[in-house]
Amino acid sequence: MFDLFFDKRYNDYVENATVQRLTPVGLAFIGDAVHTLYVREYVTAASDGVVGTLHTAASRLVNAKCQAAVLDELTKANALNPDEADIARRAKNAHLHSRAKTASPDDYHKATALEAVIGYVHVSGNAERERELLEQCVQIGLRISCRK
């Protein structure tokens, strides 16, 4: 019974999940999962597969400080299109009810903005742009040597 309810709710969500209906924080929630999964797949393919090594490598790229630096680099390079830049601005200015334990409020807001952009691209269904953006995030993170 629960499975049928969940499947129907999920299918309804996917059919009705237009970018206009989702808040920047909702987009960030989705973007966080998409970004984390991409980074985990990337480090798994690029390393020896030892769990501690995988976690350490992924943690360097998936944290507020690194994500904030990545957003700064993307913004400097004008790598976001106008719609993505608008989503980032709205998410950065959103009133958040939580705080990062190890990041400044500014970094946390920027990280939320990056995650919202990734969520926006994901929900929009542009797989090519999603892959391009995620690859840029990883490459920038590796280049600037993000540390937790």
Side-chain angles (χ1 to χ4, degrees), residues 32-47 49-51 53-62 134 138 148:
D32 175 52
V34 171
H35 182 248
T36 301
L37 178 60
Y38 184 84
V39 168
R40 285 180 176 206
E41 289 173 343
Y42 181 89
V43 299
T44 301
S47 72
V50 176
V51 174
T53 304
L54 295 173
H55 176 74
T56 300
S59 294
R60 287 185 177 152
L61 298 170
V62 182
L134 289 166
V138 167
K148 192 169 181 184

Side-chain angles (χ1 to χ4, degrees), residues 6-145:
F6 179 77
D7 287 345
K8 180 180 177 351
R9 297 257 326 183
Y10 181 76
N11 289 336
D12 289 346
Y13 166 77
V14 170
E15 289 174 13
N16 296 316
T18 62
V19 174
Q20 294 77 20
R21 290 188 59 213
L22 296 173
T23 66
V25 175
L27 290 171
F29 183 71
I30 293 168
D32 175 52
V34 171
H35 182 248
T36 301
L37 178 60
Y38 184 84
V39 168
R40 285 180 176 206
E41 289 173 343
Y42 181 89
V43 299
T44 301
S47 72
D48 60 10
V50 176
V51 174
T53 304
L54 295 173
H55 176 74
T56 300
S59 294
R60 287 185 177 152
L61 298 170
V62 182
N63 66 73
K65 188 172 183 175
C66 183
Q67 290 173 325
V70 168
L71 180 67
D72 286 341
E73 290 287 320
L74 290 171
T75 303
K76 262 192 264 180
N78 287 326
L80 301 178
N81 69 38
D83 290 337
E84 294 165 354
D86 183 56
I87 292 292
R89 179 190 55 75
R90 289 175 43 218
K92 187 177 170 188
N93 293 329
H95 180 69
L96 303 175
H97 296 284
S98 59
R99 293 181 294 175
K101 296 175 191 171
T102 59
S104 70
D106 187 51
D107 282 350
Y108 189 64
H109 282 270
K110 287 179 183 179
T112 300
L114 178 66
E115 292 169 346
V117 170
I118 293 168
Y120 165 78
V121 173
H122 178 77
V123 172
S124 296
N126 186 343
E128 183 178 327
R129 175 61 179 150
E130 180 179 346
R131 179 126 179 117
E132 176 187 331
L133 182 61
L134 289 166
E135 181 63 27
Q136 286 178 322
C137 290
V138 167
Q139 292 308 316
I140 292 168
L142 293 171
R143 188 181 77 240
I144 61 177
S145 298

